[in-house]
Amino acid sequence: MAKGYLTTHVLDTARGAPAAGLRIVLYRLGGPSPERIAEAVTNADGRTDKPILAAEVFATGSYELVFFAGDYLDRTGAPGEAPRFLDQVPIRFGMADADAHYHVPLLLSPYGYSTYRGS
């Protein structure tokens, strides 16, 4: 059984705080269409309460995390026009090591974002 797992968190860089209450959906890629396999909402620390992909169901392959940034930014009263410049933020990535911890954070503001492989 694989020991790997996937975590994420979101930081609101415009506010200098964790992004609480942001919806995230995880898809597995590679088939005829993306397969939705998990959904979570960030807690007060901007993290999910448990890994978004736990070791029991972890598999290597290509994935996509979709962060519902527009809904979060609207709820927090962040400045911006309608429609928002950023709405859904998709991040596609691969996981090749069945025993690794993959961490994909999102640094978010109303007009930009960045990500990296964290630890």
Side-chain angles (χ1 to χ4, degrees), residues 52-100:
I52 196 152
L53 188 60
E56 307 81 65
V57 293
F58 185 89
T60 59
S62 296
Y63 290 84
E64 179 178 63
L65 280 167
V66 178
F67 297 86
F68 288 79
D71 294 342
Y72 164 80
L73 294 167
D74 288 346
R75 201 172 47 260
T76 62
E81 58 248 347
R84 283 206 172 268
F85 178 69
L86 292 176
D87 184 19
Q88 295 180 14
V89 175
I91 299 174
R92 289 190 171 192
F93 58 97
M95 298 188 294
D97 184 346
D99 295 320

Side-chain angles (χ1 to χ4, degrees), residues 2-84:
K3 297 179 197 168
Y5 61 102
L6 172 66
T7 58
T8 186
H9 77 274
V10 185
L11 300 174
D12 184 330
T13 58
R15 292 177 47 230
L22 193 145
R23 182 175 160 232
I24 305 165
V25 176
L26 176 66
Y27 295 90
R28 187 182 329 266
L29 306 175
S33 60
E35 176 190 1
R36 182 178 170 164
I37 57 172
E39 182 173 337
V41 175
T42 57
N43 59 25
D45 194 34
R47 298 175 184 275
T48 57
D49 288 331
K50 58 184 181 177
I52 196 152
L53 188 60
E56 307 81 65
V57 293
F58 185 89
T60 59
S62 296
Y63 290 84
E64 179 178 63
L65 280 167
V66 178
F67 297 86
F68 288 79
D71 294 342
Y72 164 80
L73 294 167
D74 288 346
R75 201 172 47 260
T76 62
E81 58 248 347
R84 283 206 172 268

Side-chain angles (χ1 to χ4, degrees), residues 5 7 9 47 101-105 116-119:
Y5 61 102
T7 58
H9 77 274
R47 298 175 184 275
H101 170 201
Y102 287 85
H103 184 67
V104 181
Y116 56 94
R117 181 173 175 189
S119 58

